Amino acid sequence: MSETSSVEVDAERERDGEGDRGPSDPATHDHDCSKIEALRQRSQRLSARLQQTQREMETSSAHGKESPAATQSVQDVNPPTQRRMGEAGRAPPASSNSRQVQQMSSQQQLNQVQILPNSSQQPIAKKKSKRALRNEVGALQEMVKLLSHVSPDVNAYAAQLIRQNEVLSQLEWAPPRVSPVPQQALRQLPQRIDGGSEIVRRQLPEQRGEGRQRHDSDVSSSNSNPSQQLTKQGRRQRNRKKSDGSGKSTTQSLKTELEAMRSYINKIVQHHVGIDHQLPLDLIFKGNFSDLEAHAQRLTAAGYGRIVEEEIRVNRKNNRQAFITMSTDREALERDGIVLLPVARRYAFEGDKVRAFVLNAGAQCSSKPAEPSSGGITGGKPSISLAGDEELSDETESQDSDAEADADNVVVISSDNCPKAFVIAITKQTELRQIVGTISFTNPNKLCDDQLFYKFRPYDLRVPMVYVPMEACTAHIGSNQQAGEVSGLLYLAHILETDCNGHCIAELIQPVGRVGNLEDELKAILFHNGLRDIKPFEQRFDDLYSQPSPPISKIDLSQRRDLRKMCIFTIDPMTARDLDDAVSIEKLGDNRYEVGVHISDVSHYLMEDNELDNIVKERSTSIYLANEVIHMLPQSLCMRCSLLPGENKFAFSVFWQMDGEGVMLEEKPEFSRTIINSCSQFAYEHAQKIIDNPKERFTENDFPTILNGFHTNDITKRVLWLHRMASSMRKSRFDNGALTINNAKLRFVLDPISGEPVSFEVEKQREANRMIEEFMLLANQAVARFIHDAFPEIAVLRNHPPPLTKSLKTLREKLQALGFELDYSSSKTLQESMVRLCNEAPNPVAMNACLSQLLMKPMARATYFCSEGRTEPADLWHYALSIPIYTHFTSPIRRYPDIMVHRLLAAALNYCPPPGRTPDDLHALTKLANERKYNAKMAGDDSGNLYFKRYVRNKQGIYMHAVVIEIFQHMMNVVTLESGHVISIHFKMQKVLVDTHSAPNYVMIAERNMKQSPRKLQILSLVPIFLFIWDNKLTGFLTMGDQRIHAPKEQQTGSGTSRKNKPKQQQVNHQQRQQQHIQQQRIFAMRQNSL
């Protein structure tokens, strides 16, 4: 549908003010008026016909048949319609400037619209073919295009009717290809819309500058939320392409992208000021991309917003959304700017620095529940499938306003609460644009200039679809390869450019493997998470420490405290091999104990700035995958430093003097380099057995071998002493404001031959785990204070900022709507609220799982930093632990920052000179450590998800219990209680019927046969789900009662339905949709029952 351009509106206003320029022939005048009146009447009949067609389509969809009367009516109306269209095309333009045309009120027009009979009330007749209906709709669309040239008023009124109609608004209204009516004819028409309402007239200014075709990236012209319209329009365009069967990308020009940018800017500004207010002409963007800066300056001068230069962040689950930081104050309520269109961010990538204009904050958070949106009835699939012209909604993730690169920082709020923004220019691009993804060297696509490209689907969902030139893939394809050998391949690619249409053009660097192969997919996970450069150590580095440790020398004894005769032991996970830490406790007198924590002294072997140290600092951390550990240190050095029982080891030790309740008896701890010899390697299970049975007399057969002359009783009494102290210390720590949020971590049992997962279990946090945790936290805190006092400019510390207050505020409002109270004024009150809500909940496990997921999102990541320039207490404070200073000291075998801390501690104790690295070097190293730690965490999580998907696939689906954590219009997120996975439930894929009229407050679900009463689902609702793999994705389905779901046969990855089976599949999909529509009628009673 063509829209009125600003040039036409302005010209119309000028012509209205000019008056008559000369005499006109009365006969010609009357003749022209009659023609104009005839056109108006045809426009009214058109409106009636469009609504009639809508009713026919609705009736045929509901009953599969059509009334004879309706059929006859259509046949009677069509021929005149065709003739009128021909007349309209040949009608001469009017030349009079008269305004004596009769006006018709909106009510009179509505009365004329209603004169046609309602086909739904007639007897049912044979259904029309889809082709016939399309021809009729096409003819009507063509007539609308012809009529729209008569005047801007007719055009605007037709657009209004189309927007108000649910069926017509989903049609594709392309600009007409006929010549426009001469300007002389337009002078004869009045400016006012005949019979139009005030609302229609107010919408005229909004339509300026938009006389063009809509594209995928464009903003809808309706007055609803721009973010929703963007998503809906994109889905409609894609669905239309699928239904057409073309499967080809539409070639767009730079002009089209510029028009999309203009439309987006004008729409968000108009939405910001309100549709009732007319924008000044100079604030309507009509320029080119080079004019963005000047236009942003005009908007800033008008007080609409401000210009910022910040890094841009792209939504991990929806690359159409990007965010610009507006405030670094995490306790502030100012929300980040949101960009809702890829072209509006100038196709910037994650991490690019951009210059952007951000509107002032508009919509504010409300304590009231969200207004129900215009939902519908969906689901009710007879089988688990998607029709050929269906696809999942883009709205697969919360519209976050402060989403950092990790999922821990995704904020659950509506984009309405974020000020809209657009990017003026990219000021600095990220250096690395290498991505890993899948490619199939089949079915190339045409883009610009008829060049053929293969689609490259990135693992990183922040990156849009990537295209690789076909001619550049010849070397990778080879010759005489079978079809199966060129499909479902994993590759590393480098993005070269983004063309004028937003297509990312890339070149292939190297193959990674094949989809489905475990080893290849794990390699792809490392590549995807920026760990491509992590390679095995050269053999010469392993040879450095492959020989047995030399005996302890006199020099060693002169520089270290000899503790080899002390009862020191390790407590670690059952499968642990890198034993960083050990503990000891000795009774000094009545209610007086000396507690020791002993950490492996890796810095003794790894000298600063030597060849191996420079390699290790780049690795920075060990990587824990589901099936293996990629060590930070060479394997031989790991074994040399590991505190294995019965071997002399160098360590750094911290000692405290405490009473039996863990209260410090000395103000400061004691630090020392030591030599230890562990007497036993306990697992958490062994320590827990002692804690659970404190009075039992254990034997040597109950525990691992105990060396150095100690016995079972020596270990058991020390474990009980440490447990009593740790319990008291933990209680005191939480009384002082500590906060803990634990998410499930899985451990897989793998088949020894195939390597496939055969089972899994959730790692449990026992009292033994918490006991060791308390003493490690105490050691880290003591060392942090000691090295900061000694080296206030080069101390390597760890900080945890407070959470995003604006996100916690939104979460509190959601919980308040459900009758729950959340106090986030401090870490102490937040922890107390979590404990209280879990204790009061009918299902504490479900409540804890839900709150853990929702509260992890506003939380910031803890980071390493160099203390230079950090003088304020808030710069050193650790929010979750609620302590003034903290570092990492206790795991030097797997974390490089711990090694730097050991060197600082040794220098502070005068064992060696201070480290030679400058504050600038330490700033760079801590930044690298933060990146590596995060990347390693994401790789570990991805590998766990990969193995869980393999487990579900091997089981052909599993049933689990889940709790609802988020609800959207087209889907909801749940977290499984058995595994802690967050699963997206897409409503239109469900076998149950889903009523979304009240989303996001709640949805109603019911079985297709309505055997059970409908069920209401809202946040914190428990629901059984069925998990299986669909399109290589972990997919969830709702179940009710004893309903069982059978997973479909495995689909071929990277291949679609064969061409010869497509017609049959489309027929089956059409029949399924008909049955689904009939059964959806039953669910309308659900809403009445729910009210």
Side-chain angles (χ1 to χ4, degrees), residues 966-979:
E966 295 171 308
I967 297 177
F968 304 101
Q969 186 62 39
H970 302 284
M971 49 81 69
M972 68 181 181
N973 288 332
V974 300
V975 56
T976 59
L977 300 185
E978 292 87 347
S979 66

Side-chain angles (χ1 to χ4, degrees), residues 258-364:
L258 179 58
E259 289 173 345
M261 186 70 157
R262 292 171 180 166
S263 176
Y264 171 82
I265 294 174
N266 293 333
K267 291 292 174 61
I268 63 172
V269 175
Q270 182 69 67
H271 186 265
H272 175 74
V273 301
I275 60 173
D276 294 335
H277 296 81
Q278 182 174 335
L279 282 177
L281 292 178
D282 62 330
L283 296 183
I284 298 176
F285 183 57
K286 305 174 186 177
N288 299 319
F289 286 110
S290 58
D291 301 320
L292 286 173
E293 175 69 31
H295 187 67
Q297 295 289 353
R298 288 193 294 270
L299 293 174
T300 303
Y304 287 178
R306 65 184 189 267
I307 297 175
V308 298
E309 287 195 22
E310 294 289 344
E311 283 190 3
I312 196 166
R313 307 184 312 278
V314 182
N315 190 334
R316 291 183 66 88
K317 297 296 181 68
N318 184 358
N319 60 52
R320 294 177 67 86
Q321 297 176 350
F323 302 90
I324 300 171
T325 302
M326 298 302 296
S327 173
T328 56
D329 184 1
R330 299 185 62 84
E331 298 185 13
L333 294 177
E334 184 177 13
R335 298 195 180 278
D336 291 348
I338 183 171
V339 186
L340 295 168
L341 201 63
V343 68
R345 72 169 185 263
R346 307 296 303 275
Y347 302 108
F349 277 56
E350 170 79 16
D352 284 353
K353 190 171 183 179
V354 299
R355 181 172 175 83
F357 173 81
V358 184
L359 289 165
N360 294 328
Q364 300 296 326

Side-chain angles (χ1 to χ4, degrees), residues 940-1004:
D941 293 345
D942 288 347
S943 71
N945 292 334
L946 171 64
Y947 273 83
F948 186 72
K949 284 169 53 178
R950 301 286 288 216
Y951 173 79
V952 173
R953 173 174 291 168
N954 295 340
K955 295 292 183 181
Q956 296 184 344
I958 58 175
Y959 287 89
M960 285 189 167
H961 295 87
V963 57
V964 179
I965 59 175
E966 295 171 308
I967 297 177
F968 304 101
Q969 186 62 39
H970 302 284
M971 49 81 69
M972 68 181 181
N973 288 332
V974 300
V975 56
T976 59
L977 300 185
E978 292 87 347
S979 66
H981 285 90
V982 176
I983 306 296
S984 295
I985 307 290
H986 296 272
F987 294 146
K988 70 178 177 183
M989 290 186 68
Q990 302 304 306
K991 295 190 70 174
V992 299
L993 295 172
V994 185
D995 182 356
T996 62
H997 283 90
S998 299
N1001 297 331
Y1002 65 88
V1003 296
M1004 300 290 293

Side-chain angles (χ1 to χ4, degrees), residues 517-629:
N517 182 287
L518 260 179
E519 183 177 349
D520 293 342
E521 296 226 33
L522 286 170
K523 188 192 302 183
I525 285 174
L526 294 177
F527 279 41
H528 166 57
N529 288 287
L531 301 172
R532 174 191 173 197
D533 56 339
I534 303 299
K535 300 177 181 178
F537 284 97
E538 296 179 21
Q539 185 60 41
R540 59 191 180 96
F541 292 116
D542 274 315
D543 294 342
L544 289 175
Y545 306 100
S546 59
Q547 302 300 322
S549 300
I552 303 299
S553 65
K554 293 183 178 179
I555 298 178
D556 296 330
L557 291 173
S558 65
Q559 296 179 350
R560 295 178 180 271
R561 183 176 170 183
D562 190 354
L563 304 179
R564 286 176 288 178
K565 294 184 179 180
M566 183 178 290
C567 183
I568 299 174
F569 52 95
T570 61
I571 302 178
D572 288 285
M574 185 72 74
T575 58
R577 293 295 178 265
D578 299 335
L579 309 182
D580 294 278
D581 55 90
V583 292
S584 66
I585 181 170
E586 298 295 332
K587 190 169 185 178
L588 303 180
D590 187 21
N591 199 26
R592 191 179 187 91
Y593 301 86
E594 183 184 66
V595 178
V597 169
H598 313 275
I599 308 300
S600 176
D601 188 4
V602 179
S603 62
H604 173 79
Y605 301 99
L606 192 65
M607 298 292 103
E608 183 182 50
D609 209 27
N610 67 11
E611 184 181 10
L612 181 57
D613 181 60
N614 288 328
I615 296 175
V616 171
K617 77 178 182 183
E618 294 295 328
R619 298 168 75 98
S620 188
T621 181
S622 295
I623 305 168
Y624 290 84
L625 303 178
N627 65 327
E628 66 173 331
V629 179

Side-chain angles (χ1 to χ4, degrees), residues 434-436 490-494 507-510 512 527 532:
Q434 293 185 356
I435 56 174
V436 66
L490 293 166
Y491 264 85
L492 180 71
H494 179 76
E507 63 177 353
L508 299 180
I509 297 178
Q510 69 178 74
V512 179
F527 279 41
R532 174 191 173 197

